[in-house]
Amino acid sequence: MKKGLFALSLLLIQIIDAQNHSQHMDPLTGTENLVLASQEIIAAPVIKADRIFDFSTKVEIISQNPSDKIYYMTLDAGDINKKKKFTAYKKPFTISKTTQIQSYAERKREKSSVATVSSNRRPNYWEITTLSKVNPQYTATGKFALIDGIRGDLDWEKGDWQGYLGQNFEAVIDFQSPLQITQITSTYLQDSKSLILIPKKVEYYASMNAKDFFLLDTIENDIDPKDEKIQAKDFTTEILPTEARYLKVKAYYSGKLPGWRQKTGGETSIFVDEISVK
């Protein structure tokens, strides 16, 4: 009985080995190659569009394989209640509103993932002069990044924030003409593990001639620099209606990193993004 069971087991093992071997055999060459049922990975197209523009901007979509067909869809504020569909892309086009562009590539009925880019029309035509020296590694999209209406993501490595190392942050906004102000906000980031601390305080000043500034308000920071949570804080003030052409924002550097961590004495940075006025 035992010999019969052993022979049966041996036969089963031989059958399984033969099946496995057949899966690895190339029927044409006889060589052992693992045959995998896999789909070809199609790369998503590249959408070229200005992140911020004044009046209009060109949008170009490029496939990473010339044989791919490209489909796209645009969404702006006027499309909220519309049901939109992807359409075939044929040539570059122009947009004049803040728009989200979505696109995918198709090859032999297989589709790529959808690429998404937002292109934003400037909400104003203010000018801004930064009096502090920005860290060249963290310039966001340039000086207008501070007044473009786009708030930075908490994942600051995406490049939405401007960084100022070991110094106060100071900037002057020119509204181009007198503006009545009732509310001012500027936003700052804290990631103490990365030596980024929210400023100790923020001051707002107003002027009509860019020379004589008067203090509107001072806002103190209430977040502990020891708090290791990655977070953003809005320094917002409500003021009596005040007419001004220029606004100065000054944020005070928190100093070298306090001594509760190993990097004691390390220079900290101010990370600032959006400055807005109502």
Side-chain angles (χ1 to χ4, degrees), residues 26-40:
D26 187 313
L28 297 179
T29 64
T31 57
E32 293 187 358
N33 292 317
L34 182 61
V35 179
L36 299 174
S38 61
Q39 295 181 341
E40 185 177 6

Side-chain angles (χ1 to χ4, degrees), residues 76-84:
D76 59 45
D79 296 326
I80 294 176
N81 298 317
K82 295 180 181 178
K83 187 176 181 180
K84 302 199 71 175

